[in-house]
Amino acid sequence: QLQLQESGPGLVKPSETLSLTCTVSGGSISSSGYYWGWIRQPPGKGLEWIANIYYSGRTYYNPSLKSRVTISADTSKNQFSLKVSSVTAADTAVYYCARVEDLGREIGYWGQGTLVTVSS
Amino acid sequence: QSALTQPASVSGSPGQSITISCTGTSSDVGGYNYVSWYQQHPGKAPKLMIYEVSNRPSGVSNRFSGSKSGNTASLTISGLQAEDEADYYCSSYTSSVTWVFGGGTKLTVL
């Protein structure tokens, strides 16, 4: 059974860099046919797609966040990560990591989510 | 990229059917059969309910169905049950090789 688990600081200061890691168990992030990605949800608001990384390593970003976001993968640890630089209060959200199916582009598996608050 | 357009809320009585619309453009919903729908209960992660416009993952009730016409996709829930009360989000793959979500629809079972 595939499982995804987000980890990282729950509190980040304004202007600093938010860093999160997703640890995948029950499957390999190097397996063909999948993207691995991040989605966020500000409190009381809707979902926003942030970025995906293909199993080959190619990356894709939300144009509105692209200048501040980096997604990367560590296949030796079966993990992928997200960095968001120059954060503000608007980046406060629950951050989900997920697996996206290449065939239908749907998000088949989600992590439980982790709340990151940007505050001094 | 702009979010897909969904109604903010819909409601229905137990046993009734409801439909949630999701309107995009020819660069996303209208251009690909890569529309998916997610159910989210409070405090929980979203759950995939429909993929590729009209396919149901294993374990999802056949009361949930999806369709698409032009730039608008729809999710229909028949035989409404109390447990269906949740937020629903549509999502589409886009021509820019990005993904976009709808703003979400709150379903209330009266």
Side-chain angles (χ1 to χ4, degrees), chain A residues 47, chain B residues 1-6 22-25 28 90 100-104:
Chain A
L47 301 169
Chain B
Q1 59 187 22
S2 299
L4 307 176
T5 300
Q6 297 182 233
C22 170
T23 301
T25 69
D28 39 64
C90 61
V100 63
F101 284 98

Side-chain angles (χ1 to χ4, degrees), chain A residues 53-90:
Chain A
I53 185 166
Y54 200 38
Y55 75 97
S56 63
R58 188 167 180 178
T59 57
Y60 306 87
Y61 294 100
N62 184 324
S64 67
L65 298 169
K66 186 174 183 177
S67 64
R68 297 193 296 124
V69 171
T70 302
I71 188 171
S72 60
D74 185 337
T75 55
S76 67
K77 295 181 179 179
N78 215 33
Q79 296 175 332
F80 61 101
S81 298
L82 177 74
K83 292 187 186 297
V84 183
S85 63
S86 306
V87 297
T88 69

